Amino acid sequence: SYELKQPPSVSVSPGQTARITCSGDALPKKYASWYQQKSGQAPVLVIYEDTKRPSGIPERFSGSSSGTVATLSISGAQLEDEADYYCYSTDSNNKSVFGGGTRLTVL
Amino acid sequence: EVQLLESGGGLVQPGGSLRLSCVASGFTFHNYAMSWVRQAPGKGLEWVSAVSGDSASTYYADSVKGRFTISRDNSKNTLYLQMNSLTAEDTAVYFCTKDAPAPFDYWGQGTLVTVSS
């Protein structure tokens, strides 16, 4: 079955840029979305269609995609950005798949 | 303001059934596809099922196909998930999501389903 692979954890110092990757064979032809989930809360959409940011999401969140890798970048990471981040996409048969998630630590 | 409020979770024995509900408000419900996404304790997100706005199309993850049924009542702005033949692997928080214009652009707070004897 199709998989989206994310690093289990990423650490960044406050004010630095955090980058979280998501790799999948279908990503050259399929959009990726990204979700932030803070402890005990429901996920929140932060990026969709590879690069688009929903209203209300800070500009420091951005997305990109090249080949089989989609990337979520958080420029000037803040303590409040500490959370689990999940990528999402579909396979060649339009079946929905989430990545395994990445825990972002800001310290 | 978009709001999604799930209910119906609880403790159920293996092999049992449960029906989840999600009441939606703040948007024109029948215009949008909706999904259920679940999260087992301490684990990641897993898409479960989706339904089109007019109920014409339904989709299921392989892990629940044949056991779960998604449906909606547009007159009541309500999404449902009928879950049968439950196993311990179905233990999770179940989230209701709105699916357009972006995938899972709004989420409810979730309802916990525990399958245990």
Side-chain angles (χ1 to χ4, degrees):
Chain A
S1 61
Y2 185 57
E3 290 185 351
L4 294 173
K5 296 180 180 179
Q6 299 181 233
S9 63
V10 168
S11 294
V12 66
S13 300
Q16 299 298 310
T17 297
R19 293 183 179 87
I20 300 172
T21 59
C22 172
S23 63
D25 290 341
L27 288 178
K29 295 187 176 182
K30 298 292 186 179
Y31 284 127
S33 304
W34 291 91
Y35 302 84
Q36 176 195 67
Q37 186 179 33
K38 296 183 178 180
S39 181
Q41 299 183 19
V44 173
L45 175 69
V46 295
I47 294 290
Y48 67 102
E49 291 183 6
D50 291 343
T51 61
K52 297 180 180 178
R53 192 175 55 249
S55 61
I57 300 301
E59 291 184 7
R60 64 180 180 273
F61 288 86
S62 64
S64 63
S65 187
S66 178
T68 60
V69 180
T71 302
L72 171 70
S73 299
I74 308 172
S75 57
Q78 301 182 6
L79 293 175
E80 67 197 55
D81 299 329
E82 198 162 273
D84 293 326
Y85 290 85
Y86 296 90
C87 63
Y88 162 84
S89 187
T90 56
D91 66 12
S92 56
N93 295 315
N94 286 327
K95 207 80 175 235
S96 290
V97 179
F98 283 97
T102 298
R103 176 149 297 178
L104 176 67
T105 301
V106 182
L107 48 69
Chain B
E1 178 192 6
V2 171
Q3 291 193 341
L4 302 170
L5 184 60
E6 303 96 336
S7 62
L11 176 63
V12 60
Q13 292 189 340
S17 299
L18 212 55
R19 188 176 84 153
L20 306 183
S21 300
C22 170
V23 177
S25 60
F27 63 102
T28 306
F29 184 67
H30 64 82
N31 282 347
Y32 295 94
M34 301 287 292
S35 283
W36 290 96
V37 176
R38 69 184 180 183
Q39 186 170 37
K43 302 297 185 182
L45 302 173
E46 179 188 15
W47 171 78
V48 173
S49 183
V51 61
S52 60
D54 61 2
S55 300
S57 300
T58 57
Y59 310 89
Y60 298 93
D62 291 342
S63 58
V64 307
K65 196 175 297 182
R67 300 188 300 121
F68 289 11
T69 302
I70 192 170
S71 63
R72 63 192 296 163
D73 185 337
N74 287 343
S75 69
K76 296 181 179 179
N77 284 3
T78 303
L79 175 72
Y80 301 101
L81 186 67
Q82 177 67 43
M83 304 185 296
N84 299 330
S85 303
L86 287 162
T87 73
E89 287 66 43
D90 297 314
T91 294
V93 173
Y94 285 73
F95 295 101
C96 162
T97 72
K98 172 178 168 288
D99 286 358
F104 320 121
D105 59 357
Y106 286 92
W107 298 62
Q109 283 305 302
T111 187
L112 175 62
V113 172
T114 303
V115 184
S116 175
S117 55

